[in-house]
Amino acid sequence: MSDLMTYVYGVTRGDDALAERLAALEGVAGAPVHLIPDGNGLALVASSVPAEDFREEALRRRLEDLDWLSAVARAHHGVVEAVAAYTTVLPLRLATVYLDDARAREVLAAGRELFTDRLARLAGHVEWGVKVYVDPSAAPEPPSAPADAQLSPGRSYLRGRRQQQRHRDTAHRAAQRAAEGIEAAGRAYASERARHRVQQGALAEAAGENVVNDAYLVPLDRGEAFRAEVARAADGLAGVRVEITGPWAPYSFAMGPEETGDAAGAGP
C-alpha cells in the first residue's frame, strides 16, 4: 500500500500557466501542488499527502486535533484562493482525499458534466458572507415606568423582566428589518444565495446573537455595490450589527464530492 494519498482542493480549467503558478505553492503538509488534467480541459488541483494522516481511520482521529485541523484548513484555503485569483475554481470540501491520482482522475471524469456546468455558472462570480447579530445590550434601554412604591419586590422584579423582554423583542424586530434589507440587496445584485446554520457556542466568537449567516454569489462587477447596500441595512437600527466578509472563492456554491463519487476521506 502506498505511503501517499491524493488530496484534492478543487476543480478548475487547467492550463500550463496555472500549473506553473501552482508549482510555487505549498499545500497541505507542505506538499507541492499540481494539476490532474482529464485531457479535455478540466483539472483537479491536488497534492500528495501522507497516508498515515489521511486514511479513513487516521483522518477521523486527526480531525479531533484542532491545531492540525487549523493548519490543514489554512493550507487548503491558501491553495483555493491562489487558484481563484487566476481563474474560476470549484472548491471541494476540506480533507477530500483519494487513494491516488488515477482514482481522483476517475472521479473527475465521472463528474465532468456536473463540474463543467457549475464552473460555467460560477465564472465571473465571487462569494460574500453576511452575518447579522442582535445585541440588545448595545441598544439604549427604553424609558422605565415610574416606580410604584406599592409594588411588592416580586411584582417589581416581574415588571423589570417584562421590560427586558420588550427590549430584546425590539432588537430582534430591528434585526428582521436588517435581514429584509439584505435579502433585497441579494435579489438586486446576487445570482444565488446560500443559507448557513447560525453560529452558536464555540463558533460564535463575535458579540451578540448570530441570527443570520448567509452567503451570496455575486458577479465581480457588482460586488462593491452589493457590499455597500448590505452595509446600509443596519443603519439606524440600535442593537443590530451586520458583518460582511469577502470576496471569497465560492465555497458555498460548489458541489461536494459525494455528488460525483466517494472520496477516501471527507471534511467536517
Side-chain angles (χ1 to χ4, degrees), residues 178-196:
E180 290 168 357
I182 292 166
E183 290 174 10
R187 289 191 295 272
Y189 295 102
S191 300
E192 296 184 36
R193 173 191 182 189
R195 292 179 180 270
H196 295 307

Side-chain angles (χ1 to χ4, degrees), residues 122-126 128 188-191 217-227 247:
L122 297 183
H125 290 72
V126 290
W128 290 86
Y189 295 102
S191 300
L217 185 68
V218 182
L220 283 167
D221 61 356
R222 310 187 84 183
E224 285 307 311
F226 171 78
R227 185 198 61 76

Side-chain angles (χ1 to χ4, degrees), residues 74-98:
R74 285 195 301 270
H76 182 103
H77 180 69
V79 172
V80 169
E81 290 299 318
V83 179
Y86 177 79
T87 189
T88 305
V89 60
L90 250 64
L92 296 184
R93 290 190 303 170
L94 188 69
T96 296
V97 292
Y98 298 96

Side-chain angles (χ1 to χ4, degrees), residues 49-134:
V49 293
E52 64 182 5
D53 288 333
F54 286 90
R55 288 195 186 99
E56 187 172 0
E57 289 299 324
L59 181 58
R60 187 175 294 113
R61 292 192 300 271
R62 277 297 205 175
L63 291 176
E64 297 176 358
D65 181 342
L66 295 183
D67 290 337
W68 182 89
L69 183 60
S70 178
V72 170
R74 285 195 301 270
H76 182 103
H77 180 69
V79 172
V80 169
E81 290 299 318
V83 179
Y86 177 79
T87 189
T88 305
V89 60
L90 250 64
L92 296 184
R93 290 190 303 170
L94 188 69
T96 296
V97 292
Y98 298 96
L99 294 177
D100 51 32
D101 283 10
R103 174 56 185 147
R105 189 178 287 108
E106 290 175 3
V107 172
L108 179 61
R112 177 175 176 76
E113 184 175 349
L114 280 171
F115 289 137
T116 300
D117 175 72
R118 200 59 186 158
L119 279 169
R121 292 172 69 184
L122 297 183
H125 290 72
V126 290
E127 176 174 330
W128 290 86
V130 180
K131 295 184 176 71
V132 177
Y133 295 89
V134 177

Side-chain angles (χ1 to χ4, degrees), residues 11-61:
V11 184
T12 189
R13 297 187 182 279
D15 58 28
D16 291 342
L18 177 59
E20 290 181 11
R21 285 172 174 254
L22 294 181
L25 294 180
E26 285 191 357
V28 172
V33 182
H34 63 278
L35 293 177
I36 303 175
D38 72 347
N40 294 294
L42 291 187
L44 295 172
V45 182
S47 59
S48 297
V49 293
E52 64 182 5
D53 288 333
F54 286 90
R55 288 195 186 99
E56 187 172 0
E57 289 299 324
L59 181 58
R60 187 175 294 113
R61 292 192 300 271

Side-chain angles (χ1 to χ4, degrees), residues 153-169:
R155 294 185 65 183
S156 178
Y157 169 79
L158 290 175
R159 185 171 69 175
R161 290 297 300 271
R162 286 194 294 270
Q163 289 175 338
Q164 291 175 358
Q165 184 61 53
R166 285 194 295 270
H167 190 47
R168 287 192 294 268
D169 290 345

